[in-house]
Amino acid sequence: MRTLQPEDAGYEQETSGFNLAIAHRPDVVVPAESAEDVIAAVRHAADAGLPVAVMGAGHAPGLPAEGGLLITTRRMNGVTIDATARTARVEGGARWADVIGPASEHGLAALSGSSPGVGVVGYTLGGGIGLMSRTYGFAADRVRALEVVTADGRLRQVDADQEADLFWALRGGKVTLGVVTSMTFDLLPQASVFAGSLIYPGDAARQVFAAYLDWTRGLTEETTTSVALLRPPGAPPVVAVRVVHTGADGDRVVAPMRAAAPVLADDLRDMPYRDTHLVYNDPEGPMPSWGRGVLLDDVDVDAVLAAADESLVIVEIRHLGGAMAHDAGNAVGWRDAAYCLSTHTIASPEGAKAGDTLMSVAGPRPAPVNFLGLTGDALREQLRGAWQPETVRRLAEIRRAYDPSGVFRFGHPVE
Ligand SMILES: Cc1cc2nc3c(=O)[nH]c(=O)nc-3n(C[C@H](O)[C@H](O)[C@H](O)COP(=O)(O)OP(=O)(O)OC[C@H]3O[C@@H](n4cnc5c(N)ncnc54)[C@H](O)[C@@H]3O)c2cc1C
């Protein structure tokens, strides 16, 4: 097991991930290369009385390590595709980019999200709202098995028959129960999709957002979409409608949005699933990023756009529901929400203030755990509302059973 300390060359690089705004500052880092390294690191931490944090791709550290021991998993990025069983087994540090290409060689697709750079495990622990989630549900709904190193340093096999509580909790209950060293999940027989985006001028925002809401009310589970007001630095604002349609007749389905306002660019087409990173073109980072999200039953377009301050680079509404509303016997929260309003910007006091104002438009609504983007006390408070109260109670109970002394107190813990 290799370790790095603050004075060592490579410490800065090892502790930083996608989001530079929230930095891990551990006393010791373990750049893990295997499950054995993770077991050794957790046992060493237990002996030394150190709390443990884990970082995958670093998109949302939550409560970052302040002292203690940080396990980085980025080297654990192995992926095995079983084309017959239609499953992927990934190591704990794989990103979606590591899965999408190999799966597509067999005509299969995973429930990846807007950015292929996001960590598969961090995303799935939080449910995982994917490009095809209205058709196939949350990524967490498709998990078959996990291997997890718990606070006692044991590597546990977790599935529907073994450690059933952990299996329930790890699928959607992103509350830091251990270090996931591998995860096996279903792949979907979806070699291609009808997908891409429609781009409109920024001053058509009201028209496009209103048409979008009408349109989404009538969509079937085959169509997963979002609408966003984008203010790319140094360029004029635009509105983007992103679409991933898993069925036939894509052109007919999107016709109302093509007619909703003058279209500046239209790249909607049949594409192999491996090209779907082009739908959102999310930034690859690293960058100091600030983001928040909130779940809604309906959207007041005028209120949202009035609060969409110029300092916010992205103000987005994702359409939820469809297969995401079907109970899958796991810890994913608030499946009944119809939309997710989120915002991302470069981390700055003005951006954070404007983002808070935008979120307040929605009133006191729960936040989806993958779109919390917070740290400190604000994160602790929002985490308690990220699931229904009964789910929070059960998650806290399971956490106390597997980690009674709070070894995993960083990340996204619920108390
Ligand atoms: C550009 C961008 C696009 C995004 N798009 C989507 C999207 O389309 N849909 C969606 O649902 N979410 C999306 N997200 C949110 C993303 O899913 C979460 O931020 C996710 O937690 C990131 O995981 P990570 O490994 O990249 O980050 P990290 O900061 O490394 O990890 C995030 C959390 O997961 C925990 N974790 C990571 N790996 C492990 C492990 N092996 N074992 C135990 N705990 C672990 C960490 O401790 C931490 O609490 C997006 C975020 C960004 C910045």
Side-chain angles (χ1 to χ4, degrees):
M1 175 182 89
R2 193 158 69 90
T3 60
L4 287 168
Q5 270 140 24
E7 60 279 11
D8 292 333
Y11 172 93
E12 286 299 326
Q13 205 182 345
E14 195 61 35
T15 52
S16 72
F18 173 89
N19 189 353
L20 301 176
I22 306 178
H24 289 284
R25 282 284 162 262
D27 293 332
V28 54
V29 192
V30 176
E33 298 194 12
S34 63
E36 289 69 35
D37 279 351
V38 174
I39 295 167
V42 173
R43 289 186 179 165
H44 168 77
D47 290 346
L50 295 172
V52 175
V54 51
M55 179 169 76
H59 285 76
L63 302 174
E66 284 168 18
L69 181 149
L70 173 68
I71 298 170
T72 57
T73 60
R74 54 167 71 93
R75 290 169 192 76
M76 295 172 60
N77 60 359
V79 174
T80 311
I81 307 292
D82 182 335
T84 312
R86 287 189 187 151
T87 58
R89 179 186 182 276
V90 302
E91 288 187 293
R95 298 172 186 230
W96 281 119
D98 300 317
V99 181
I100 293 169
S104 77
E105 285 169 23
H106 304 279
L108 298 170
L111 283 179
S112 51
S114 60
S115 165
V118 161
V120 176
V121 168
Y123 167 99
T124 306
L125 291 175
I129 300 173
L131 297 175
M132 305 188 291
S133 274
R134 278 180 48 81
T135 309
Y136 296 114
F138 286 92
D141 301 346
R142 299 281 169 169
V143 172
R144 290 197 185 186
L146 306 103
E147 292 182 314
V148 184
V149 178
T150 43
D152 54 7
R154 272 180 61 193
L155 179 69
R156 296 177 192 252
Q157 308 295 325
V158 179
D159 58 31
D161 301 320
Q162 310 174 77
E163 315 277 1
D165 272 353
L166 266 187
F167 187 56
W168 172 84
L170 288 165
R171 292 173 302 142
K174 187 183 187 175
V175 298
T176 321
L177 296 163
V179 185
V180 176
T181 56
S182 84
M183 189 170 79
T184 302
F185 53 90
D186 292 335
L187 296 172
L188 293 319
Q190 189 81 46
S192 65
V193 285
F194 177 84
S197 59
L198 294 169
I199 305 292
Y200 312 82
D203 58 14
R206 205 199 161 279
Q207 219 174 322
V208 177
F209 272 63
Y212 175 83
L213 288 173
D214 275 353
W215 181 56
T216 52
R217 286 184 193 112
L219 289 177
T220 71
E221 294 191 356
E222 289 183 328
T223 316
T224 306
T225 64
S226 65
V227 64
L229 175 58
L230 305 175
R231 289 199 175 86
V238 292
V239 178
V241 169
R242 272 79 170 242
V243 177
V244 177
H245 177 68
T246 55
D249 263 353
D251 284 307
R252 183 189 50 77
V253 172
V254 300
M257 289 316 300
R258 279 184 166 140
V263 173
L264 297 176
D266 175 347
D267 71 355
L268 287 164
R269 64 196 187 281
D270 290 317
M271 63 167 73
Y273 191 80
R274 66 169 176 275
D275 288 349
T276 51
H277 58 281
L278 299 170
V279 175
Y280 279 78
N281 278 310
D282 271 351
E284 288 172 16
M287 60 176 60
S289 158
W290 189 97
R292 286 279 301 276
V294 68
L295 295 168
L296 300 172
D297 299 326
D298 206 350
V299 179
D300 179 339
V301 168
D302 288 326
V304 166
L305 292 178
D309 185 79
E310 285 182 10
S311 60
L312 301 173
V313 176
I314 304 175
V315 172
E316 178 166 73
I317 295 166
R318 292 192 191 206
H319 183 210
L320 306 180
M324 283 178 275
H326 306 167
D327 184 18
N330 59 31
V332 170
W334 307 114
R335 285 178 178 272
D336 53 342
Y339 298 97
C340 173
L341 167 67
S342 64
T343 183
H344 285 272
T345 193
I346 310 295
S348 70
E350 311 80 65
K353 190 157 174 264
D356 282 339
T357 306
L358 175 68
M359 292 295 112
S360 69
V361 163
R365 294 284 309 163
V369 63
N370 267 358
F371 290 82
L372 280 175
L374 294 163
T375 190
D377 288 342
L379 173 71
R380 290 176 201 281
E381 193 191 314
Q382 289 272 347
L383 264 178
R384 283 192 284 271
W387 299 269
Q388 283 86 338
E390 182 45 39
T391 304
V392 174
R393 265 195 298 281
R394 190 169 165 199
L395 288 170
E397 222 174 84
I398 293 170
R399 190 164 168 255
R400 277 194 296 277
Y402 281 93
D403 185 8
S405 55
V407 170
F408 295 108
R409 72 190 65 155
F410 303 121
H412 293 79
V414 288
E415 275 106 34

